[in-house]
Amino acid sequence: MSNLYRLADQRARRRIVSFDKRELSRLLGLYSMRVASGEWRDYAIDFRPGMAIFSIFRHTAEQPLFAIAKVPGGGGGNYVVYNGPRKLAHGDTLEDVLRVFDRKLKLLLG
């Protein structure tokens, strides 16, 4: 007995989440300001199943300082800012979660 899988059904299940042009522009604008001030040095964009992640690094070989994730949700998606395993902010819009960077953040090593 064999099972028949329709490829169109499989593609529909694997919905790809990505940042749109406006979101990327906002993320790269924030990133470039922090690079100019010497705080950040590198970034990476990852696409995982059901999630897009913009990671920010102080040094390329280290773990990311911050990760800004977009996950599918209501209208445009839900956004979360992580510092390692800690969730710093979450919201319905990218602007909501990026407000966390308006405050002076301190990285605690320990």
Side-chain angles (χ1 to χ4, degrees):
M1 192 114 153
S2 64
N3 293 329
L4 180 63
Y5 293 99
R6 291 189 49 203
L7 291 178
D9 293 340
Q10 297 300 319
R11 287 188 194 119
R13 280 191 206 143
R14 290 184 295 146
R15 180 173 171 229
I16 296 174
V17 177
S18 62
F19 295 106
D20 63 27
K21 184 177 180 180
R22 180 190 57 78
E23 293 166 335
L24 276 176
S25 176
R26 179 65 176 101
L27 289 168
L28 291 171
L30 172 66
Y31 171 76
S32 65
M33 286 190 309
R34 296 295 178 104
V35 167
S37 70
E39 294 177 62
W40 299 344
R41 286 220 158 146
D42 201 3
Y43 74 91
I45 300 175
D46 297 312
F47 302 101
R48 297 186 180 168
M51 179 184 296
I53 303 171
F54 187 90
S55 300
I56 300 162
F57 298 85
R58 178 170 290 152
H59 300 288
T60 305
E62 294 180 351
Q63 295 291 321
L65 292 174
F66 303 102
I68 302 161
K70 177 181 180 180
V71 294
N78 292 321
Y79 301 88
V80 183
V81 176
Y82 293 99
N83 173 242
R86 291 186 17 221
K87 187 187 297 187
L88 297 179
H90 68 280
D92 293 330
T93 67
L94 184 59
E95 290 302 320
D96 288 343
V97 299
L98 291 183
R99 284 189 192 115
V100 74
F101 294 108
D102 291 343
R103 299 185 300 255
K104 184 68 177 174
L105 296 175
K106 295 180 182 178
L107 180 64
L108 300 176
L109 300 173

